[in-house]
Structure formats: C-alpha cells, structure tokens
Amino acid sequence: MRGGSGVAEQSMIVERVEDADKEKKKKRRSNRRSKHNSVNEARVESSDSLKNGDKTKSLTQSMSCSSSSKQQGLETALNEQTPGRASDFAFSSMPTMHINEQVGSGCGDADDDVGGRTFSKSCPEPISLAGSSKVCIDGFFPFHQVEGFARKELFAPYWPIEAVNKALEKGEAFKALFRVNAHNRLEAYCKIDGVPTDVLISGVSSQNRAVEGDIVVIKVDPLGLWTKMKGSTGSSNNSAQVEEYNLVQEVDGLAGNSYKGKGKVDADCEYAHCKSGVLLEKGVYDEAGMTRTAAFNNVNGHYQSSSDSSHMGFFPGQNEGMNSVDRLAAMTSQFSLKRPTGRVVAIVEKSPRRDAIVGFLNVKQWFSYRELYRKDAKKNSAIFDREYVTLTPTDPRFPKMIVYVRDLPDRIKKRLEDGDETIEMELVAAQIEDWSAESPFPQARVSHSFGRGGELEPQINAILYQNAILCTDFPPLVLSCLPNIPWEIPMEEFQSRKDLKDLCVFTIDPSTASDLDDALSVERLSNGSFRIGVHIADVSYFVLPNTALDKEAQIRSTSVYMLHRKIQMLPSLLSEKLCSLNPGVDRLAFSIFWDLNSMGDVLDRWIGRTVIRSCCKLSYQHAQDIIEGTIDVEKFNTLEGYPQLYGQFEWTDVVRSVKCLHEISKTLMGKRFNDGALQLESSKVVYLFDECGVPYDCRLSERMDSNFLIEEFMLLANMTAAEVISRAFPASALLRRHPEPNMRKLKEFEAFCHKNGLALDTSSSGQFHQSLEKIREKLKDDSVLFDILISYASKPMQLATYFCSGELKDNLNDWGHYALAVPLYTHFTSPLRRYPDIVVHRTLAAVIEAEELYLKHRGLLKVNNGEEVLRRCFTGIYFDKEAAASPQGKEALSIAALNHGIPSPELLADVAAYSNERKLASRHAEDACEKLSMWVLLKKKEIFLSDARVLGLGPRFMSVYIQKLAIERRIYYDEVEGLNVEWLESTSTLVLNLSGHRRVFKRGGLQHYMALGNVAWVVNPYDLSVETGSVDDCDATCMGNNGVAFPDSEPISKSWVDPGTFPLTVRLLSTIPVALYAIGGDDGPLEIGVRLYMSSYLK
C-alpha cells in the first residue's frame, strides 16, 4: 500500500507541475500585450557624446508604493532597478559564456553594457512610503526619515542557531556558499555539494541580507515553486534531452547597481540558465508565470511559503534510503528542466568581502537634502546626527549602502561640509558594519579614499584592497629571519647534497623574470636512454617552519603579478638573489632525475637535494630561436641581446640540450594526450608598457614550442612529487585536484556544436580533446571561430583546488585531475611564488629523510666507492608498502615529519583552504589589472576600431566577440531614434537601416528614445580620414608583460577596418565593424563600451 500511495502522489505532483506549466504559457501570452507598459521595463536615453561615457537622463517609471505589507515595502525600498521578464522573441546565439572575463563570481545575464547606456538605479518619481507623507528619491529616504521607516520589519529574522543545527541534521536545510549574479544582483546561487544543479535564490527577500561570499543556510522550496531552466520548452519528469538553448537571453529590464556595462562573470558559478530575476514576492509573478504567495510567520519566526512543508516536495514512499542531499540530487535529475529555488534562513559565516568594499560616494543628493531641510535642522539638532550619503560599490554584486556622515573620516567630512562635489570622483574603501532586518540597505563605514577613479594608481590600490592582497613592506621580524649578506653555501650542505655544478644546467624564463624557480638538464646515457633533470630552487632550506618568515609567506600565500608590478610572497633577497637560480653562481636545489626511453617511459628516477650552477639564463624567445634553428651557433657569442654563458660549457652544449629536450617534450606531450589529457589553448592579449609602466598598446600572443617544452617537464615533476608524498604520507599530503566539469553546461555546448555541424564528444577529457583537434582542423581557415569555441569550452570547467589527502581519504576517486587525466597531482615547481610548493618541498624532504632512516636501521644502506647508495623504498618508482607499514618505517616517517614540520591533516586542510582563497584572490586581481590595462589603452586611444563576430542575435540586441581584445560585449538597438530595426525570426536575420521618421518619446510614456550615437558611430564617407587615436609606432622588439617579444605581431594601434553601410544585414557569426571606447573612471566603474562602426552620406 505504501509504495502504491507513493506512486499516486508522484503522479499527482507531476500533473500539478504540468498544469502549472500550461498556466505559465497562458500568462506569458497575456503578458506580451502589456509588455511595453510593464513596471519592469527600464529604458534610458543616453547623450550623443561618445567620449564622455554617455551619462544618461533620468527615466520615468510608474511605481506603486501604497501597499502596507512588509514585502511590498521592501520591494519598493530596494527596487533600485526592477528586473524584467525574458523576451518572448526568439534569439539565436552562441552559449553565453563571457570570454576572458572572470572570474568575479557572477553568473547570468542582466547588467550589460548597452553601448554606453546607463540603466537607472533610481525611482525618478517621488515614491510615497506606506503610511507616510514623505517621499523617497533614488530608492533612499531623507536622512531624518530613515529611523521612522526602520521601525518596520522588512526581512525575515534569521533562525536561531539551535533551529539551524536541527534543520541541518534532519536535512530540512542546507549549508552553502552564496554567489551573486554579477549581471543581476537579484539572482544568487548556492552550490550544495552532491547536487548537480545550483539552487536559485531570487529576490531581495529570499536573499535575506546575504552578500557575495557568505556561508549561508538555505531552505529549498517545494517542487511546485521551482523555476524552469532557461531554454526549456516544456515539462519533463524524466528527460536527458538537452533542449536547444539560446544562452544570450533578452530581458526587458536589467537589475543590479552597476553604472555602465557588464560586470565580471566567474566561470565557476552557475549561470548558463539564469532567469531574469523577478522578485518572487506576494502578487508578483516569476518569469514562468507562477504566483508565489508568501507571508512572514511571526509565530514560528521564519519566512514561510503558502505551499511550504518540512520537506522539499519529495515523494512519500520514495527514496527512503537516501539522505536529503541524495534525494535533492535525484529530484534535480528527474526534473532536469527545472531549477530548484530557495531562500536564506541564516548566515553562518560572513564573507571577507564585507570588509573590502570599494565604491563611489553619492553626495549631490545629500547637498540638496541638507539645503531643503536646513530650517528643520535648526529646530531639531538631532536630525543631522542621522544624515547619510549613499555608497555605490564598483562590484555590481553588492547593493547600494548607507554611510552616516558622522562616521566619515574627518578629511572627507570636512570636504563634504565645504561643498566639495569632487568627492564623487574618488574611489573609497568601506566595510559593511550592519544590516538589520529593519533596514532596507546595509550600513557601511568608509575608512579612506584611494584617489580619483580615472587614475591608474588609485585603481591598482583599490584592486589590492578589494582582494585583501598584502602589499606592505616585510616587517623587521620577518627580515631578521634572512641570512646575513654576503652569504655562501655552508660546507655541510656540499657534503650532504649531490654536487651538480659540473652538469650543463640552464633556465628558460620570460626575459624580464627575476625570480628563477626552475632549471633543466639532459644527458644521453650509454644505453640510448636520456636522463632528464628538473632542478627547483630549494626555498624550504631558507623558510623554516613556524618562523616569522614562514608565517608571512603563508599569509601572502602567492606572488601577485599586476601590470608592470609584482607583489612578492618572499623578500627579494630570497626570491631574486639567494634562492633564484641565477646563472654563474652556486645555488641550493631540489632535483628530480628521470631515465626515459625513446617512448617517453620512465625507467628509473632519483629525487634529492643538490647544489647546481646554471650556465645561462635563456628567454622563451631564445629557446624558440634554438628550436627553430634561426641562430648561428658560431656567431652566438657576438650576437647582441643573447645571454652570457658561464662555466666550461659551449653554446653547442646548450643548443644541443635545448633541441634534445624539445624532442623529448613532444614525445611526453603526445603520450599525455593519448592517455586522455585535455588542453584548451587560445590566444591571449599581451600589453605593451612604456617606461612609466603605463600600457600604450597590446597584441595577441600564442604560446611557443619553448613554452610547451617547459610545461611538459614541470608537469612531470609535479606528478612525480604528488605520487611520492601521497604514498609516504597518505593522510598529510598537500595535493591538487581538478573536478569534472559542469556536465549540464558541457552537454549544452556539445549540443550547440552538433547543431552547427561540429562533432564533439565530451564523454571523457581525452575524447573531448581529440574532437576539438578535429574541429581545429575543420576550422583551419576560421581561426577566430575556433578561438571562440575554445574559450566557450573552458567555461564548464571547474576550478582546480588544493586539498589535504586526509580530507578525502575515503573518496580516492575525487583526488584526480580531470584536464591532466592523472590520479595524483600537486604543485612543486614554483616555491618562490607559491606557498603550497614550500609545503610540498618539506614533505618531500621528510620522505627522503625517512627513507634514509629506515634503510640505516635495516642495515640496507650500501657504500659504493665511498658514496652511500640507497635502495629507494619510498622515493623510487616502486613503493615498498611493507616498509612503510612496518614499525621501523612508521617510526622513520613520524620522526622525519616532525623534523620538517609537516602539519597534521587538520592544519593542512586549513592551509589548503586558505591557499585556494588566496590563489583565487590573486587571479581576480590579475584579471582586474588586465581589464584596467585595456581601459587605460582605450582611454588614450579614445576610439578603437575592430572587426567583431556576432555570437548572439535577436530583435533587441546582439552579442559580439572582439578577437583583438578577446572580449564579448552587447550592442542594443531597440527603440533608437532614427534607426529602423527589422527582425526576421524565420531566418534569424537582422536588418538595420536609417530612418527619417523622428520619434522623441516612447509610446505610452515620456521616456526618451535612445540616441543613434549610442548604438553606432556613423561617419561621412568623405571624412573617413578621421583620426582614430592611433599611437606612435613602437619598436618591433617591445616586450609584453610576460617578457615575450612579438616581432611579427601587429599591434592594435596599427589596425584599421572599413565601416559598414546601411542597410546592415546581420546573421549569426557574421563579421561586423565596431568601435570600442572606455567608460567610467571618475564617474563610475571601469567598463568597455562598443558600438557599430558605420558610414552614411545622411550623417
């Protein structure tokens, strides 16, 4: 009976879902009639100026604020910009995966660059507060009204800790990381481990004051409230079918608080099927048309839906043996076209980002209010104690904030009292102090100003602050740990290490590199095999565990490379001198030797500490010249620009070694790919800097054979180190894992390729790589499209992360590295710039010492010609499990671990987690600096002309990819003054033409049509010699930020494209001319705008 009842329940639930879907379709059809009059529609008219950032006029909206309900009041207060419904029109597109943009952790498509348009964040018409005769402007209230409004409770109070723990234990709630859509702040996503689909947290009420990066507890909604996946066309209760998807979605109104343009998207966040983010509040429809009646239950103290229950709509009698995560995972798989939704009920750990807010103060409104209420202030002096200004963060994932004037730094407060409006042009640092349930906005405190937003140095300092990157000088206590200068290698080190000074060892690095981590050597053996040596700087000799130097390195965790500036993890005395493998000097190293046959198989290996002396420092370009045979060895010593040679070696020795290593690296690479490895290689933009470190041009760069040469041997060294330390210390090894990609996104990408005649197999990393190589060959005449596909293919990939082996001791399958197709991997080769590598070095040193202790105890240490010879039981190819498990082996490993400061599994897990956090922060900082470089470059050029590829196309906007800058942007063209738009849905074709009909106001309102200049830069054919901001020609040997020269690469300053003409016919993957320009700086966040580049005699 129980099983039958469960089936009946399941059938009823499925029927209800299908009925709801039918109802949603009816409501969507009815909504089309009133789409243009919707309160969710936000339009703007921008000025005609191309260079001034297109400051917009205020738009007029009709918004009702008369409701006295709590949710209605909150919606009014927080609706800085109401998100719109998805367009009902068809839209043909590539997957919406924002190329070379990241990495913040945004997801979805909402706040976008609209050719320079700014979407209003305000309520332009005065809004009456419920029960009040006062008004709200710009979504905020006069400073003496805040407390009166605050008496109303706007958010659900958080559950008490006892209720949270009980719900987590019963599986009625889940703990997850809260990630916000950078394009639509009203959409957030929570990833529950074990559930393939992220949970959508839609609307300010459901988000309940959580911000980006918080660890929250969420309650998942019943199945009936789940929303449709974007692109799904019907309900299905058991479907593996991948629907045709248009991942560039049209929306009538955009949400968030960015000034102009798109925010950064984090590739790790769910966003391929995001919805437009309509608030799921009482009386408001989600975009599928389903009404969600919500109320706040004051008795139980938590937010409760009308259809809420203690479970998530699971079927009675079904999946009883599963835990809550497994049940939710099963439901998401069974209803694959539905996305689970939920709400935040508690915040268990606040995000560090709360203490690193960067933004602009909005003070002009405060000046107006102060003048308006000056008379009242004289009657009541307490009014000015509640004065506030607003802060708009540069990161669109954070809401606007209130900053009380009384809490401003004295310097800023004085300028404010003096009426200095230039405060608005400065970037400020702030921290979120409080966000109570009674407040519609968080309260922040400003700590200091960075300076003008349009200047380079303040922007860099803001990036460092925002990512909590330590850039101060090393303190005296840290410097006291460094050896005295001059320093020489102690004699005991020569005695205990293998002396390799007579071996031909050299480095290959960027020409500007000063911290040389790694060196190579190669010898041909008598049996025809090769002995390859990788030699890594022995940083762990100088950075001893638990010293001030060690703690400082751990705090910094990684070096950060920003424009022409490097923030080092270690003091320069170590990173550039004593540890750096500079040529002609003796250096301590950690070396790994492999004996390889012609097939690339490892016959034997040796790992140990050594002393080396590099004979030269080669750049990648030098090594490439050797590989290509473009240098004359006999004249090498006289060639200008080539490195000095040290020691007894000749250039013939170096050239022979480089060529030999290149051939071996090709064998290893082929072997790796045959074993299932995946490589997503695409062009990269490299910037050229002047003597002041300011970018003046950029070029596209591709890696050379010399880059791949180094990569292969570094990969081999890292894999070897991972194997050794994980076998000897199975619970205390610091490893690196790369999970499988987001399979849903991967299948969608696979479906898109098949739809366009490109066969793609994503069943494994190896099949993925092989099919991409076939596509590369098929598109050999269309390299731009292949670059786009490669960039998109990387978007479903998850981040690789460090972990402690003891954390996953019961889940060995989770240790693997998907892209490399290996079961074990770690980082060993860059200890000068990565702290985890130092930990791995210490662990390796402990394994070597334990091996020696064990063999000495067993009497197995032999002497050959005065040298001790070990039967390598722990570090060799074959691991002696019995030796490691024996009492003597355990004792040796324990003593060695203690001697070298190997952390316990619990502490090592903390090190791994912190290293992941710092690595991601450094990546975000480096990405932000690349964007800053692009912005500075375009600001100097004023206008940059380029061809663009159309990735997405619809009746309102197109999405284009600019290969020269490796970025994706949108161009909006609906309701533009003087532009006629014809969308042919049957053929997915767009025709744009100039129109003589002048329209000043939109139908149904006083909003202005957007000016033509915001969509297209139109020039007269007679005036095509117009100056486009080109820079002076640069020397062909200028260096990029990675020190690679590009003598054959054309800088963008020399590029030129012909303008298009009207009528312009556009199809998917068409090539069109565009003009790019810089937005923001002193008046908002930095963004890159784009417009069509056209010519017309009618101009």
Side-chain angles (χ1 to χ4, degrees):
M1 290 296 293
R2 193 171 188 178
S5 175
V7 172
E9 273 291 337
Q10 178 172 352
S11 176
M12 293 173 62
I13 291 177
V14 172
E15 288 176 4
R16 286 200 296 270
V17 173
E18 292 176 344
D19 291 342
D21 289 338
K22 294 178 182 178
E23 186 65 22
K24 295 170 190 174
K25 293 179 181 178
K26 292 179 183 178
K27 292 176 180 177
R28 279 202 297 269
R29 287 195 291 269
S30 64
N31 285 341
R32 290 173 185 165
R33 304 188 188 98
S34 59
K35 186 180 72 170
H36 291 291
N37 294 327
S38 171
V39 298
N40 293 331
E41 181 161 312
R43 310 284 189 187
V44 292
E45 186 231 359
S46 301
S47 68
D48 291 308
S49 169
L50 180 65
K51 301 178 183 178
N52 292 337
D54 308 313
K55 297 183 180 178
T56 63
K57 299 180 181 180
S58 296
L59 55 93
T60 304
Q61 289 180 322
S62 168
M63 300 182 69
S64 171
C65 300
S66 59
S67 172
S68 60
S69 72
K70 181 179 306 176
Q71 278 71 32
Q72 195 78 6
L74 177 60
E75 183 182 336
T76 299
L78 295 184
N79 200 13
E80 303 165 272
Q81 182 181 10
T82 308
R85 289 173 48 85
S87 172
D88 293 313
F89 295 104
F91 187 83
S92 300
S93 75
M94 297 283 287
T96 305
M97 301 172 184
H98 300 274
I99 301 171
N100 285 6
E101 297 193 316
Q102 205 126 141
V103 194
S105 54
C107 37
D109 294 289
D111 282 344
D112 293 279
D113 178 28
V114 189
R117 293 191 293 180
T118 303
F119 282 93
S120 173
K121 317 302 177 294
S122 64
C123 306
E125 291 184 349
I127 297 177
S128 299
L129 299 178
S132 172
S133 61
K134 301 298 181 181
V135 295
C136 159
I137 300 178
D138 194 30
F140 289 80
F141 316 105
F143 53 81
H144 63 287
Q145 291 295 316
V146 175
E147 292 187 0
F149 184 81
R151 283 196 294 268
K152 301 187 176 187
E153 202 167 49
L154 302 175
F155 293 97
Y158 296 133
W159 289 5
I161 187 63
E162 296 81 6
V164 167
N165 291 334
K166 185 177 180 180
L168 290 174
E169 183 179 349
K170 289 186 175 182
E172 297 173 359
F174 303 90
K175 187 162 71 170
L177 177 64
F178 188 81
R179 308 304 298 270
V180 180
N181 180 349
H183 297 285
N184 183 352
R185 188 172 49 80
L186 298 183
E187 288 181 352
Y189 292 84
C190 286
K191 172 66 178 175
I192 300 173
D193 290 338
V195 179
T197 305
D198 288 358
V199 178
L200 171 65
I201 313 296
S202 181
V204 290
S205 180
S206 294
Q207 293 176 6
N208 199 4
R209 295 164 286 159
V211 301
E212 169 70 22
D214 283 347
I215 305 297
V216 300
V217 175
I218 63 171
K219 186 166 179 65
V220 177
D221 292 331
L223 177 64
L225 291 179
W226 290 13
T227 185
K228 274 189 178 182
M229 287 286 193
K230 185 162 117 186
S232 61
T233 57
S235 63
S236 172
N237 47 334
N238 189 10
S239 173
Q241 177 184 4
V242 178
E243 300 291 334
E244 177 180 347
Y245 64 107
N246 294 324
L247 295 182
V248 180
Q249 182 183 12
E250 292 203 85
V251 287
D252 293 324
L254 306 180
N257 62 6
S258 65
Y259 294 78
K260 307 178 182 73
K262 295 194 294 186
K264 183 180 284 291
V265 176
D266 191 336
D268 294 312
C269 187
E270 290 274 352
Y271 73 93
H273 286 309
C274 294
K275 298 298 182 180
S276 62
V278 178
L279 292 173
L280 299 179
E281 305 296 341
K282 182 176 180 180
V284 181
Y285 289 83
D286 68 10
E287 57 190 344
M290 181 184 297
T291 303
R292 173 177 174 177
T293 304
F296 179 74
N297 188 328
N298 283 302
V299 176
N300 294 330
H302 65 87
Y303 183 84
Q304 189 173 30
S305 171
S306 61
S307 57
D308 198 3
S309 67
S310 62
H311 296 285
M312 296 160 288
F314 299 131
F315 311 136
Q318 301 289 317
N319 305 325
E320 286 188 349
M322 297 183 178
N323 60 34
S324 57
V325 172
D326 292 337
R327 290 197 300 269
L328 181 57
M331 283 190 66
T332 57
S333 298
Q334 190 162 8
F335 293 89
S336 59
L337 301 183
K338 293 282 186 180
R339 177 183 288 283
T341 58
R343 61 188 183 275
V344 174
V345 297
I347 298 175
V348 296
E349 183 178 337
K350 293 184 176 180
S351 168
R353 289 296 310 276
R354 289 172 175 257
D355 297 325
I357 303 297
V358 173
F360 291 89
L361 291 173
N362 311 304
V363 301
K364 292 178 182 176
Q365 181 176 303
W366 179 83
F367 289 141
S368 301
Y369 282 144
R370 188 179 178 104
E371 186 66 29
L372 181 64
Y373 294 100
R374 188 176 295 276
K375 294 181 180 179
D376 292 339
K378 292 179 179 178
K379 298 178 182 178
N380 185 4
S381 59
I383 288 179
F384 283 125
D385 192 48
R386 299 193 302 272
E387 291 181 18
Y388 71 88
V389 293
T390 58
L391 170 72
T392 306
T394 57
D395 189 335
R397 295 171 296 181
F398 289 86
K400 280 188 176 180
M401 303 173 188
I402 289 176
V403 178
Y404 285 103
V405 174
R406 65 173 183 257
D407 296 331
L408 286 171
D410 293 339
R411 178 175 168 271
I412 296 179
K413 190 187 305 182
K414 184 178 186 306
R415 291 174 60 191
L416 196 64
E417 292 171 351
D418 293 341
D420 185 358
E421 294 185 356
T422 62
I423 295 175
E424 288 198 338
M425 298 182 179
E426 296 185 1
L427 285 168
V428 297
Q431 305 83 38
I432 297 177
E433 288 198 326
D434 184 39
W435 195 351
S436 66
E438 296 80 17
S439 174
F441 306 100
Q443 177 188 337
R445 178 184 292 270
V446 171
S447 57
H448 63 277
S449 170
F450 295 105
R452 294 285 287 265
E455 298 177 359
L456 194 60
E457 196 63 25
Q459 285 286 349
I460 293 176
N461 291 333
I463 291 171
L464 293 172
Y465 173 82
Q466 202 166 19
N467 292 282
I469 293 173
L470 186 61
C471 57
T472 56
D473 293 335
F474 291 93
L477 186 60
V478 170
L479 298 178
S480 67
C481 298
L482 302 178
N484 297 323
I485 300 300
W487 177 86
E488 293 183 355
I489 298 177
M491 185 56 63
E492 57 266 25
E493 291 301 318
F494 282 105
Q495 295 171 351
S496 62
R497 295 170 179 258
K498 180 173 286 190
D499 191 341
L500 303 177
K501 295 194 300 294
D502 293 331
L503 185 64
C504 182
V505 176
F506 50 86
T507 61
I508 302 177
D509 288 281
S511 60
T512 56
S514 57
D515 48 351
L516 310 182
D517 285 296
D518 55 90
L520 294 173
S521 66
V522 59
E523 302 170 88
R524 189 179 186 95
L525 304 180
S526 57
N527 60 0
S529 60
F530 294 91
R531 179 163 293 166
I532 309 298
V534 167
H535 315 277
I536 307 300
D538 191 358
V539 180
S540 61
Y541 173 84
F542 296 94
V543 183
L544 300 178
N546 301 317
T547 61
L549 178 59
D550 178 54
K551 293 176 182 177
E552 181 75 10
Q554 184 175 348
I555 290 172
R556 298 186 179 228
S557 188
T558 179
S559 295
V560 184
Y561 298 86
M562 307 177 64
L563 300 182
H564 238 36
R565 175 181 179 183
K566 178 176 66 176
I567 300 173
Q568 300 183 126
M569 181 184 75
L570 296 172
S572 58
L573 178 62
L574 294 183
S575 62
E576 297 180 359
K577 296 180 181 178
L578 301 185
C579 290
S580 181
L581 305 182
N582 298 326
V585 291
D586 294 346
R587 288 290 179 258
L588 301 178
F590 228 123
S591 299
I592 302 180
F593 285 98
W594 304 270
D595 290 351
L596 302 177
N597 62 19
S598 59
M599 305 297 292
D601 300 320
V602 178
L603 306 177
D604 197 5
R605 72 176 178 223
W606 180 89
I607 304 173
R609 286 178 138 161
T610 59
V611 178
I612 68 169
R613 181 185 296 162
S614 172
C615 66
C616 69
K617 174 191 173 184
L618 295 175
S619 71
Y620 283 117
Q621 190 60 54
H622 294 148
Q624 188 66 25
D625 291 342
I626 294 174
I627 292 170
E628 296 176 354
T630 59
I631 63 167
D632 187 343
V633 177
E634 295 180 357
K635 299 180 180 179
F636 208 89
N637 287 315
T638 62
L639 290 177
E640 186 177 349
Y642 281 88
Q644 180 180 350
L645 195 62
Y646 295 86
Q648 72 273 27
F649 301 102
E650 303 291 336
W651 276 114
T652 52
D653 299 321
V654 177
V655 169
R656 183 170 54 250
S657 295
V658 171
K659 289 185 176 181
C660 183
L661 288 169
H662 174 238
E663 293 301 321
I664 297 172
S665 71
K666 290 194 299 182
T667 301
L668 292 176
M669 180 184 292
K671 184 179 176 65
R672 237 179 2 98
F673 289 136
N674 288 336
D675 290 341
L678 167 67
Q679 181 168 283
L680 302 175
E681 187 74 20
S682 60
S683 301
K684 180 183 178 182
V685 177
V686 176
Y687 294 92
L688 308 177
F689 298 87
D690 60 22
E691 61 277 3
C692 299
V694 177
Y696 67 86
D697 213 336
C698 68
R699 305 181 183 190
L700 280 179
S701 165
E702 293 186 359
R703 292 202 297 167
M704 302 177 290
D705 288 341
S706 56
N707 297 97
F708 294 118
L709 182 158
I710 293 296
E711 180 181 69
E712 282 307 313
F713 294 113
M714 297 305 109
L715 290 175
L716 183 59
N718 288 334
M719 289 185 284
T720 301
E723 180 184 329
V724 172
I725 65 174
S726 63
R727 293 188 310 189
F729 295 104
S732 302
L734 183 59
L735 303 176
R736 191 160 175 80
R737 61 188 291 262
H738 183 212
E740 290 189 348
N742 182 306
M743 299 311 295
R744 176 177 56 81
K745 293 180 183 179
L746 200 59
K747 290 298 181 184
E748 289 166 354
F749 179 62
E750 182 179 3
F752 173 84
C753 289
H754 280 290
K755 182 173 178 284
N756 288 274
L758 301 173
L760 186 68
D761 183 357
T762 60
S763 58
S764 68
S765 57
Q767 292 299 321
F768 194 6
H769 177 81
Q770 297 300 330
S771 55
L772 283 175
E773 288 302 302
K774 293 178 182 178
I775 292 176
R776 182 197 297 271
E777 180 63 25
K778 186 174 182 178
L779 298 178
K780 60 184 178 182
D781 296 327
D782 193 351
S783 60
V784 176
L785 178 56
F786 185 73
D787 278 350
I788 293 170
L789 291 176
I790 289 295
S791 297
Y792 281 167
S794 67
K795 301 309 176 182
M797 300 299 157
Q798 299 191 57
L799 284 179
T801 56
Y802 298 108
F803 72 100
C804 171
S805 56
E807 283 185 294
L808 299 176
K809 60 183 178 181
D810 298 325
N811 299 286
L812 299 182
N813 291 334
D814 294 337
W815 289 26
H817 197 290
Y818 173 81
L820 295 176
V822 293
L824 296 168
Y825 192 69
T826 192
H827 275 165
F828 161 75
T829 56
S830 296
L832 288 176
R833 60 184 179 88
R834 290 189 307 228
Y835 185 77
D837 298 56
I838 298 178
V839 176
V840 171
H841 276 229
R842 291 171 181 164
T843 312
L844 266 180
V847 177
I848 294 171
E849 181 178 312
E851 188 175 59
E852 293 177 355
L853 290 173
Y854 173 78
L855 293 176
K856 285 181 179 179
H857 186 276
R858 299 281 296 174
L860 299 176
L861 191 64
K862 299 180 180 179
V863 177
N864 184 21
N865 295 328
E867 291 186 5
E868 292 181 343
V869 179
L870 300 179
R871 184 180 65 82
R872 293 182 292 276
C873 56
F874 296 159
T875 63
I877 294 179
Y878 304 105
F879 182 72
D880 192 337
K881 292 183 180 180
E882 292 183 0
S886 67
Q888 297 90 345
K890 288 181 179 179
E891 182 182 5
L893 288 167
S894 177
I895 292 173
L898 187 64
N899 291 342
H900 291 274
I902 308 303
S904 66
E906 295 77 18
L907 290 178
L908 193 59
D910 292 339
V911 171
Y914 182 76
S915 297
N916 290 329
E917 175 194 321
R918 289 293 83 210
K919 186 173 181 65
L920 189 60
S922 68
R923 173 182 165 184
H924 288 163
E926 291 167 9
D927 289 345
C929 282
E930 285 202 12
K931 181 178 179 180
L932 175 59
S933 297
M934 187 181 300
W935 185 88
V936 171
L937 181 60
L938 293 180
K939 192 74 172 178
K940 289 182 64 176
K941 293 176 66 62
E942 298 183 347
I943 298 171
F944 166 59
L945 303 178
S946 175
D947 285 327
R949 203 68 175 267
V950 177
L951 304 183
L953 196 60
R956 292 189 56 243
F957 69 85
M958 68 176 73
S959 177
V960 299
Y961 173 68
I962 301 94
Q963 186 201 23
K964 290 179 180 177
L965 299 179
I967 60 172
E968 182 184 343
R969 286 294 182 269
R970 287 185 179 183
I971 302 175
Y972 284 74
Y973 37 72
D974 65 318
E975 298 187 337
V976 177
E977 177 64 26
L979 185 67
N980 182 54
V981 180
E982 185 178 2
W983 170 247
L984 307 177
E985 186 169 347
S986 59
T987 58
S988 297
T989 303
L990 174 74
V991 180
L992 300 177
N993 202 1
L994 294 178
S995 170
H997 177 63
R998 295 186 59 81
R999 299 167 295 178
V1000 179
F1001 299 107
K1002 294 181 181 180
R1003 181 175 55 190
L1006 296 179
Q1007 296 114 318
H1008 289 270
Y1009 276 90
M1010 186 167 59
L1012 177 63
N1014 295 311
V1015 176
W1017 183 41
V1018 184
V1019 298
N1020 193 297
Y1022 289 116
D1023 197 27
L1024 284 182
S1025 60
V1026 61
E1027 183 179 349
T1028 58
S1030 62
V1031 300
D1032 296 334
D1033 291 348
C1034 64
D1035 189 337
T1037 61
C1038 286
M1039 297 296 173
N1041 58 354
N1042 65 349
V1044 180
F1046 307 97
D1048 300 323
S1049 176
E1050 180 180 287
I1052 66 167
S1053 59
K1054 297 182 179 180
S1055 61
W1056 176 262
V1057 296
D1058 293 324
T1061 57
F1062 291 108
L1064 179 66
T1065 302
V1066 185
R1067 297 180 179 86
L1068 192 64
L1069 300 181
S1070 294
T1071 299
I1072 59 173
V1074 296
L1076 294 100
Y1077 54 96
I1079 299 174
D1082 287 340
D1083 58 347
L1086 310 183
E1087 286 296 345
I1088 310 299
V1090 61
R1091 302 177 187 183
L1092 297 171
Y1093 173 44
M1094 308 295 291
S1095 69
S1096 174
Y1097 289 102
L1098 299 179
K1099 181 181 183 297

